Amino acid sequence: MSAPQPIHLHDYQLPAYRVTHTELKFDLSPSATRVVARLHLERHSERQEDNLPLVLNGEHLKLLRVAIDGQELGAGEYSVDAETLTIFEVPQRFLLDTEVEIAPESNTALEGLYLSNGMFCTQCEAEGFRRITYYPDRPDVMATFSTTVIGDAASLPVLLSNGNPVERGELPNGRHFVTWEDPFPKPCYLFALVAGDLEKVEDRFTTMSGRDVTLQIWVEKENLDKTDHAMASLKRAMKWDEDTYGREYDLDLFMIVAVNDFNMGAMENKGLNIFNSAAVLTHPLTATDAAFQRVEGIVAHEYFHNWSGNRVTCRDWFQLSLKEGFTVFRDQSFSADTNSAPVKRIEDVSFFRTAQFAEDAGPTAHPVRPDHYIEISNFYTLTIYEKGAEVVRMLRNLLGWEAFRKGTDLYFSRFDGQAVTIEDFVGCMHEVSGQDLSQFMSWYSQAGTPEIDANGHYDYAKSEYHLTLRQRTPATPDQHEKLPLHIPIRLGLVGTKSGDDLEMTLDGETLGKDAVIHLREEEQNFVFTGIAEAPVPSLLRGFSAPVKLRFPYGREDLAFLLQHDSDGFNRWDAGQRLAMLALDDLIAAHRNGVEKVMDVRVVDAFRTLLTAKVDDKAVLAEMLTLPSEAYIAEQQPVVDVDAIHAARTFVKQSLAVALRDEFMAVYGDHQSDVSYAPEPGQIADRALKNVALSYLMSIEDEEAVALTQQQFEADHNMTDVRAALTLLTHSSRSDLADPALKAFGEKWAHDSLVMDQWFSIQVTRPQPDVLERLKFLMQHPAFSLKNPNKVRALIGTFASQNRVNFHRIDGEGYQLLADVVIELNKLNPEIAARIITPLTRWQRFDETRQALMKAELERIRAEELSPNVYEVVEKALAA
Ligand code: TRP
Ligand code: ZN
């Protein structure tokens, strides 16, 4: 087999043929589904060169018939290979009829048409439609669709597709059919079909122009009591998009379907969103606050795609962030408006700085708009999604909300029904604002995380504050030379006497107390005049750009900002920086075998936090949370997982010993038995209470142990139960862990999503026997390598979150992951290529671990690989 070849952005060509209308007929059967397609095709007006054959994509299809304008084609008129159907001569405008057979039951890749728990469903993004029928499977071919679904009436009572149902009826042999029509032209990646024994909950929404929309959530019968939150979230999202972006829903029906086997979170198919059941189902007794918030965010995300993605779509897959970055920005804003804005920002940024920074620093680093790929499904990444969202956020901040909104209005109206590029989007922003965004475009083309070194000093004599900023973006695998970026830096100068933000004047211009300065050069000096007292600078407020910013803060400075910064985000960040300084010392002490000593300034800062009356409890809970081991690792030149774990545990235990009574008081003050609601006040109280309990349990305080057991047994809501079960399971005492795990596992054996949590909690235990437990759990009846949620819960969680044990020095953690990748490579290449990520980060570790990790990557490379795994492994080993 020859090595898969990359596709390049600069090779883009307009499609030779357009499809104006697509008619599909599915005759469903698990082993032999028949797909009859009639495509209304015409030559593209700008592709008029001679002798252009019609080349259609198609994989894993058995071709039964092909005809043009009703005339069946003979052997010499077309050719078929593993990836294409080519018809040598076609008219300017014609009808193409094909019939193929496919086997949903043997589709374990979960791309195209497959079976999940007896239910037929589809996943077509990015290139799954070519596993359904022969088609120009590219997003710039947009057609209206008419789809007839035929199935067994008894086992498949519900037959769904995009758009509106226009006809239904009985057929011989106990079969029935429904015909659906989608009047909005769409690329085939937005096609969807669902058939199964499903039940629905229904609601209504009246749009801003008074149109009545039916909302349906389709689930397996036993999950009917888990849809309330998704439905409420959907209605909030619909209203928010009208109020915020002026975007109204366009069909009479909007459906969500929950499926158990799904590669990602959810999919925005037109009028028929398909969701991983984990991303839609909630119940107070089965889902945590975090899960409720995740569901709200994903429901909104997929709904928002109806405009940012569906009505206006991507010209090609290099533009993926055009829809994903923008839509993530939209869902983040929605969640911020619906819940606590500062906490949402803290959560998003702390995730971003851990996971996206790591991606940017690793062998698979790529720009927000990549310029080549082998397998597009490897590019549904943190860079495309989250960094893409940060870039849109910077645009919003550069233009201000009003101009940005004018820009989105222009974008949606000008490009409605079209497949466009990132230039088209940024072009609208330029047009409405007149701002020069040419330097800004490098954010889309340049990979890697910019690093800013900041320095400042206060000139008493002149009452001036001098700030120097120097930027540098480190080389990434495909890009050695980097250009300086246009980086907006929001800042304030906090007076050390007053504790207030000082009025800032720059080059004679009054900026106010909180302002944005623009770094465009490699190095720039900023002189703020009229600064009456020595300030501590509060830089990059709200994380105004996706960069690493260093400033030589002393610990007193950070303790000061932690108390006085007017920006909630930077107050939190000051605490994180302060903790990091202490952690750095302790990591060094651990490595040098020196006795660890706790920094009293951190203890004092925490005491102040715990005892002062902080009104935003959700932010307080975040402030009391130490940087994760993964985040700490990101800050180290060579990652020492054991030293990081030891240092972080030491800080946690020291704080618990020193502030035992304060933590106990916080726990007591926030314990409550009001009935569960996923609302911000309650969520904050639970977060705060459970963070306090986790400190107390780190020293296995007897009273805390009793409280944790009580909280577990009270079984009030999953947030509290899961927090308690995690603390009991992660304690050193098997007399606490074992009975609780057993009770929980038996109680929830019937609930797959709860069992996922049960798996995750066990494989994040710090105890050294966890790898053996993981192997044992892989034999558990509830586990299956074919179900992506199970693979993520057990293996993904272990490899990414149990750092000390995954990186065991005997290499057994690596070996286990490689074994799983080799199996999954055959079953589900998309998941295989994702789950491998921790192994690709070998460069960050010591030589012994590097060698062990590389040996496993080599072992994987020796297999016959899917393009997905091939691309990732090649990059990882080339680094
Ligand atoms: N467009 C989906 C989203 O972000 C992503 C998605 C869902 C996806 N399923 C997929 C991407 C399968 C690739 C493969 O909302
Ligand atoms: Zn999306």
Side-chain angles (χ1 to χ4, degrees):
M1 238 178 64
S2 61
Q5 293 303 307
I7 302 169
H8 292 269
L9 170 58
H10 62 70
D11 289 338
Y12 174 80
Q13 277 200 307
L14 287 168
Y17 294 89
R18 309 190 316 129
V19 185
T20 54
H21 182 60
T22 300
E23 295 168 59
L24 300 171
K25 192 178 88 185
F26 290 79
D27 203 340
L28 296 173
S29 130
S31 60
T33 289
R34 289 286 176 101
V35 185
V36 176
R38 165 166 289 186
L39 311 187
H40 297 241
L41 281 147
E42 63 187 37
R43 183 75 83 90
H44 197 291
S45 58
E46 289 169 48
R47 291 292 308 273
Q48 291 297 330
E49 56 268 49
D50 291 340
N51 305 323
L52 264 185
L54 173 70
V55 183
L56 301 174
N57 306 99
E59 293 174 14
H60 307 279
L61 306 175
K62 188 162 131 198
L63 180 62
L64 304 175
R65 200 172 74 85
V66 51
I68 286 199
D69 291 329
Q71 287 290 108
E72 192 142 344
L73 297 189
E77 296 176 289
Y78 67 95
S79 74
V80 182
D81 64 22
E83 293 176 358
T84 50
L85 164 64
T86 304
I87 302 173
F88 306 123
E89 263 179 75
V90 293
Q92 279 282 321
R93 179 181 294 221
F94 57 100
L95 294 178
L96 173 75
D97 292 324
T98 60
E99 182 166 356
V100 300
E101 188 185 295
I102 52 180
E105 73 181 1
S106 48
N107 181 350
T108 58
L110 314 186
E111 294 174 80
L113 179 67
Y114 63 94
L115 277 172
S116 176
N117 259 16
M119 160 182 160
F120 288 85
C121 61
T122 55
Q123 171 54 40
C124 296
E125 187 177 5
E127 297 180 332
F129 194 73
R130 61 187 64 185
R131 293 170 182 241
I132 291 176
T133 192
Y134 287 104
Y135 204 82
D137 188 357
R138 44 187 290 169
D140 56 355
V141 172
M142 298 172 82
T144 52
F145 278 65
S146 164
T147 305
T148 298
V149 189
I150 302 170
D152 178 62
S155 60
L156 306 172
V158 176
L159 306 172
L160 309 176
S161 189
N162 316 84
N164 305 307
V166 294
E167 202 187 336
R168 65 179 71 231
E170 307 299 317
L171 294 168
N173 304 319
R175 296 179 80 75
H176 69 149
F177 78 94
V178 180
T179 299
W180 292 81
E181 254 163 38
D182 182 359
F184 292 95
K186 66 168 179 290
C188 64
Y189 83 85
L190 292 171
F191 170 81
L193 176 158
V194 170
D197 187 2
L198 297 167
E199 307 243 341
K200 66 165 187 286
V201 289
E202 197 167 280
D203 207 329
R204 322 198 69 77
F205 181 82
T206 306
T207 69
M208 60 190 191
S209 68
R211 271 211 358 274
D212 193 30
V213 181
T214 301
L215 313 176
Q216 298 175 339
I217 302 184
W218 293 91
V219 297
E220 291 166 331
K221 193 184 170 75
E222 66 267 29
N223 292 326
L224 277 171
D225 63 342
K226 299 197 178 78
T227 61
D228 293 355
H229 183 65
M231 186 64 90
S233 301
L234 174 61
K235 290 193 281 182
R236 276 198 294 276
M238 293 177 86
K239 180 77 169 71
W240 186 90
D241 212 17
E242 292 184 346
D243 294 346
T244 314
Y245 283 88
R247 296 294 115 198
E248 187 176 3
Y249 187 61
D250 49 12
L251 287 162
D252 302 331
L253 176 62
F254 184 84
M255 297 174 281
I256 287 177
V257 183
V259 310
N260 298 320
D261 301 274
F262 202 72
N263 282 351
M264 304 268 283
M267 181 62 212
E268 69 266 25
N269 316 300
K270 184 78 186 188
L272 180 55
N273 287 1
I274 299 185
F275 274 61
N276 186 324
S277 51
V280 59
L281 303 178
T282 58
H283 185 282
L285 289 175
T286 64
T288 61
D289 290 333
F292 272 83
Q293 291 185 317
R294 200 170 104 84
V295 165
E296 177 177 66
I298 298 180
V299 167
H301 178 98
E302 306 310 333
Y303 173 73
F304 295 156
H305 268 315
N306 190 56
W307 276 96
S308 49
N310 300 4
R311 288 287 287 260
V312 182
T313 196
C314 301
R315 187 192 73 171
D316 55 71
W317 291 119
F318 297 102
Q319 321 295 328
L320 181 57
S321 194
L322 174 68
K323 75 175 176 82
E324 295 304 345
F326 185 23
T327 304
V328 170
F329 173 68
R330 279 152 54 69
D331 84 57
Q332 289 177 344
S333 313
F334 164 74
S335 295
D337 288 352
T338 310
N339 302 291
S340 153
V343 171
K344 175 65 179 156
R345 191 66 185 141
I346 289 167
E347 286 169 356
D348 288 343
V349 173
S350 71
F351 173 61
F352 186 85
R353 293 200 301 208
T354 305
Q356 198 282 329
F357 280 7
E359 183 169 279
D360 243 352
T364 58
H366 54 278
V368 170
R369 178 166 59 193
D371 53 18
H372 65 280
Y373 60 77
I374 289 178
E375 176 51 61
I376 186 58
S377 65
N378 285 337
F379 286 77
Y380 287 74
T381 60
L382 297 158
T383 301
I384 304 291
Y385 277 68
E386 328 298 326
K387 189 172 180 179
E390 292 301 321
V391 174
V392 175
R393 181 180 299 268
M394 285 190 286
L395 279 173
R396 196 269 318 258
N397 292 342
L398 286 172
L399 270 67
W401 168 254
E402 284 184 10
F404 179 80
R405 168 65 203 273
K406 283 202 185 92
T408 62
D409 283 354
L410 177 62
Y411 172 73
F412 289 129
S413 65
R414 177 175 293 168
F415 299 117
D416 190 8
Q418 296 185 44
V420 302
T421 63
I422 283 170
E423 278 80 5
D424 291 324
F425 180 76
V426 179
C428 289
M429 298 299 160
H430 165 72
E431 205 170 310
V432 297
S433 70
Q435 284 202 37
D436 178 2
L437 298 170
S438 46
Q439 187 185 9
F440 188 82
M441 285 305 289
S442 297
W443 280 108
Y444 287 104
S445 55
Q446 192 162 285
T449 306
E451 295 173 6
I452 299 178
D453 272 300
N455 266 290
H457 73 268
Y458 180 62
D459 185 329
Y460 279 88
K462 295 187 180 155
S463 298
E464 286 176 357
Y465 187 76
H466 294 237
L467 181 68
T468 305
L469 302 177
R470 210 172 300 119
Q471 63 163 305
R472 192 185 78 90
T473 303
T476 49
D478 308 314
Q479 284 178 334
H480 301 290
E481 304 297 322
K482 302 284 180 179
L483 301 167
L485 291 159
H486 175 185
I487 305 177
I489 298 189
R490 210 186 114 209
L491 83 171
L493 297 175
V494 190
T496 44
K497 283 200 197 118
S498 58
D500 293 334
D501 283 343
L502 306 175
E503 198 66 58
M504 293 180 287
T505 303
L506 185 66
D507 302 326
E509 193 196 334
T510 315
L511 295 182
K513 296 180 171 180
D514 181 297
V516 179
I517 58 173
H518 298 267
L519 176 62
R520 296 170 194 268
E521 315 289 325
E522 220 162 274
E523 181 172 332
Q524 259 171 272
N525 293 305
F526 299 87
V527 180
F528 298 91
T529 51
I531 305 295
E533 50 178 308
V536 179
S538 165
L539 302 167
L540 205 68
R541 280 182 167 172
F543 196 62
S544 62
V547 301
K548 292 182 181 164
L549 188 141
R550 287 184 287 260
F551 183 87
Y553 286 117
R555 296 184 198 211
E556 285 74 14
D557 297 335
L558 293 169
F560 172 80
L561 286 178
L562 180 60
Q563 272 203 49
H564 297 287
D565 202 315
S566 64
D567 181 52
F569 176 84
N570 267 18
R571 232 172 17 248
W572 167 79
D573 199 37
Q576 298 288 297
R577 286 177 189 261
L578 180 61
M580 275 309 305
L581 291 179
L583 284 160
D584 280 341
D585 288 352
L586 293 162
I587 289 166
H590 184 88
R591 293 176 67 93
N592 300 330
V594 179
E595 197 197 336
K596 298 189 190 68
V597 185
M598 182 64 188
D599 184 342
V600 291
R601 283 164 292 199
V602 177
V603 179
D604 289 342
F606 268 66
R607 180 178 294 110
T608 309
L609 287 176
L610 285 167
T611 50
K613 282 259 165 281
V614 177
D615 32 272
D616 193 336
K617 290 185 176 150
V619 171
L620 177 59
E622 293 290 346
M623 287 180 158
L624 294 172
T625 304
L626 294 172
S628 68
E629 289 183 18
Y631 180 74
I632 301 167
E634 269 319 290
Q635 316 301 309
Q636 311 293 314
V638 177
V639 179
D640 182 335
V641 285
D642 299 312
I644 290 170
H645 182 70
R648 189 176 186 278
T649 306
F650 179 82
V651 171
K652 195 155 186 187
Q653 291 176 333
S654 304
L655 288 167
V657 169
L659 304 168
R660 189 245 174 227
D661 295 344
E662 288 84 349
F663 280 120
M664 201 53 95
V666 166
Y667 182 82
D669 290 347
H670 298 88
Q671 178 67 298
S672 150
D673 47 21
V674 298
S675 80
Y676 178 92
E679 57 87 18
Q682 279 196 22
I683 293 173
D685 281 359
R686 281 188 286 271
L688 194 49
K689 168 183 82 174
N690 286 320
V691 103
L693 195 58
S694 83
Y695 277 93
L696 295 164
M697 281 298 284
S698 75
I699 52 173
E700 291 174 20
D701 177 278
E702 269 314 315
E703 195 184 336
V705 168
L707 290 170
T708 307
Q709 284 181 311
Q710 271 170 35
Q711 182 171 314
F712 177 70
E713 275 149 27
D715 199 14
H716 186 270
N717 60 77
M718 184 54 98
T719 306
D720 285 347
V721 170
R722 180 172 176 166
L725 178 61
T726 302
L727 294 173
L728 297 170
T729 305
H730 293 190
S731 78
S732 65
R733 288 172 49 182
S734 56
D735 64 313
L736 300 180
D738 295 346
L741 279 171
K742 184 163 181 290
F744 187 95
E746 283 167 6
K747 173 163 185 186
W748 294 108
H750 63 282
D751 189 313
S752 170
L753 295 176
V754 181
M755 289 306 275
D756 289 346
Q757 305 184 60
W758 186 73
F759 284 138
S760 292
I761 290 168
Q762 296 184 68
V763 295
T764 44
R765 297 184 81 193
Q767 282 73 22
D769 65 349
V770 68
L771 196 64
E772 285 61 42
R773 184 185 286 251
L774 166 54
K775 289 182 185 159
F776 177 71
L777 288 172
M778 284 178 72
Q779 308 305 316
H780 193 280
F783 180 79
S784 164
L785 262 188
K786 289 189 178 165
N787 178 275
N789 287 358
K790 294 286 170 281
V791 172
R792 282 186 280 257
L794 207 54
I795 293 125
T797 304
F798 171 72
S800 64
Q801 284 172 51
N802 197 335
R803 302 180 62 95
V804 275
N805 287 301
F806 174 65
H807 293 283
R808 255 164 69 154
I809 198 68
D810 64 3
E812 282 210 40
Y814 307 145
Q815 205 183 328
L816 178 124
L817 182 58
D819 288 342
V820 169
V821 170
I822 289 168
E823 279 308 301
L824 278 172
N825 172 60
K826 297 174 223 153
L827 293 171
N828 186 330
E830 283 189 1
I831 299 297
R834 277 170 188 277
I835 205 92
I836 196 175
T837 305
L839 271 181
T840 68
R841 305 281 161 81
W842 56 269
Q843 283 171 304
R844 305 282 292 115
F845 297 87
D846 55 84
E847 276 177 28
T848 312
R849 288 185 172 88
Q850 286 197 359
L852 290 165
M853 294 169 95
K854 279 203 280 189
E856 295 305 326
L857 288 167
E858 303 275 8
R859 185 158 70 86
I860 295 168
R861 180 156 68 175
E863 296 283 313
E864 188 169 316
L865 293 181
S866 58
N868 311 56
V869 177
Y870 171 86
E871 181 174 35
V872 175
V873 171
E874 282 299 317
K875 282 185 181 174
L877 283 170

